[in-house]
Amino acid sequence: MEYLVRKAIRMLYWNRWISLLMVGEMALGMSVFVYSGNLSASLKAEEMRLEGQEMDMALEISVKNDQEVQDEPSLTLRDYRELQKITGGKTFLLVDIPQFFVEAEASYEFSLVLADYERLDLEEGCSYWGAETQEALAVGMNPVPGLRIRQMPEQFPKDYLEKNDWANCVVAPIAYMEEMAGEIAPGFIHAVWDSAEFPDAGRVSGQVEEYLQKEHGSQYVYRVYLPEAELRNNSEKVKVSIRVLSHAGILILAVFFVGILSIYQLLFETRKGGYGVCLACGASHKQILAEIFTEIAAMNLAGTVLGVAAGWIATYGLDVGIMIGGIKVRGSAAVAGIAFAACAAVTAFVVFVVYVKLAGGKIVEQIQ
């Protein structure tokens, strides 16, 4: 095996410019394909998440005319109580406040979630800590020290935060909205409703908007909307952009496939004399095949690894304005698996074509 790898590296080095060109083209095509695949998988996951949520109406709060916000909060505890009157107690409110502490050389980061304990059936006078917040608690990083400490319940609502996200949260009563008003930005507020609970959801949402605009309309704009319907309306143009990216990646890979197939057919013509000598000296077709496979696989694998890595980096670090705001883009293991499967398929086909030419000729013809 070591001999095969050394020989493959030597052969690639002798044809290094061609090898680098093929690796670069493979990496470029794979990176575009993986990036577009991750965008598509993230969009599909968001559609499925919203479709499965019971709370299908949400409140959006934005700053009017992008002006600088003064000290006035966008939503107060009094507002929440008024919304409960308008909606008949059907408002589900979470205020998600990021917390960051530094102690010695360690840093601790988690979310302080203010919630209505009556809606969640939690014990008043307590704070609830997730599994990933225990280190911060152990060193005294407690944003709500006046409350008794409890472990986070295993079953928590999924209407806003996904199940795994609760592990990095500390839950405190909604009454802390008054104490922490200066830390609450509009993006931290998540008010949701189940439209099925209202005979006339449009009228209720209109009343909510009218009340909040009247109270805070000098600085903020309020809108109650259906995230699933809005995503469905906007996702078609997103899917078109993703398809363009995906087709570009596939086109680059197709050009790579034709290129590598042509190059190795030409290389075979220059190497067939050496193959013939090896066969005449006792080497088997299987051994020659192993050498060819190792060389092609090494080049394709290098291009695929670089391409998948670049696509993954682009997924988490590149925003080209395709996705709708609010969708968290994540890498997909399935997309990476498809990329490596494509690499294996290309390798197998090119090796097969070259081997057919090798096996189809007589040893004397190969030497000549």
Side-chain angles (χ1 to χ4, degrees), residues 120-267:
L120 297 179
D121 195 25
L122 298 177
E123 182 182 350
E124 292 291 342
C126 298
S127 60
Y128 293 83
W129 293 68
E132 297 178 9
T133 62
Q134 298 304 312
E135 291 185 5
L137 179 61
V139 296
M141 301 304 177
N142 188 350
V144 284
L147 301 174
R148 298 190 301 277
I149 295 170
R150 294 283 187 273
Q151 187 176 355
M152 187 77 70
E154 292 184 3
Q155 298 297 326
F156 243 55
K158 303 177 184 179
D159 300 290
Y160 164 59
L161 294 177
E162 296 178 3
K163 185 176 181 180
N164 292 337
D165 289 331
W166 288 105
N168 195 39
C169 293
V170 175
V171 179
I174 197 71
Y176 275 80
M177 283 184 69
E178 292 185 339
E179 182 177 328
M180 299 184 172
E183 300 181 46
I184 302 175
F188 299 161
I189 298 170
H190 307 275
V192 291
W193 301 269
D194 181 1
S195 62
E197 294 182 335
F198 305 115
D200 188 354
R203 179 185 59 81
V204 173
S205 62
Q207 289 179 341
V208 169
E209 292 174 357
E210 182 181 359
Y211 166 77
L212 292 173
Q213 275 311 142
K214 181 179 178 181
E215 292 295 314
H216 309 282
S218 60
Q219 295 190 57
Y220 301 100
V221 177
Y222 299 86
R223 182 173 70 102
V224 178
Y225 69 107
L226 299 172
E228 183 184 356
E230 191 159 288
L231 178 63
R232 189 166 54 249
N233 293 336
N234 294 330
S235 62
E236 281 308 314
K237 59 183 179 182
V238 174
K239 290 177 180 177
V240 170
S241 299
I242 292 175
R243 279 197 294 269
V244 170
L245 266 181
S246 179
H247 291 164
I250 293 172
L251 178 61
I252 296 171
L253 291 175
V255 172
F256 164 80
F257 174 71
V258 173
I260 191 174
L261 190 59
S262 301
I263 286 170
Y264 269 90
Q265 284 182 317
L266 291 174
L267 286 176

Side-chain angles (χ1 to χ4, degrees), residues 21-95:
L21 177 63
M22 290 291 98
V23 169
E25 190 170 358
M26 180 78 154
L28 177 61
M30 281 297 183
S31 63
V32 175
F33 173 77
V34 169
Y35 179 53
S36 63
N38 286 340
L39 293 180
S40 181
S42 299
L43 180 60
K44 187 175 180 62
E46 182 68 10
E47 289 175 336
M48 293 178 64
R49 186 184 73 84
L50 291 177
E51 185 178 351
Q53 284 190 333
E54 294 180 2
M55 301 294 184
D56 59 347
M57 292 169 57
L59 174 66
E60 178 186 70
I61 307 174
S62 57
V63 180
K64 182 175 290 187
N65 300 324
D66 295 325
Q67 65 184 17
E68 185 177 351
V69 179
Q70 305 300 321
D71 293 334
E72 181 186 351
S74 57
L75 192 76
T76 65
L77 186 59
R78 174 178 171 274
D79 294 330
Y80 171 61
R81 289 168 178 161
E82 188 63 32
L83 294 185
Q84 290 290 35
K85 292 179 183 178
I86 295 173
T87 62
K90 300 296 195 304
T91 299
F92 187 92
L93 177 68
L94 292 176
V95 180

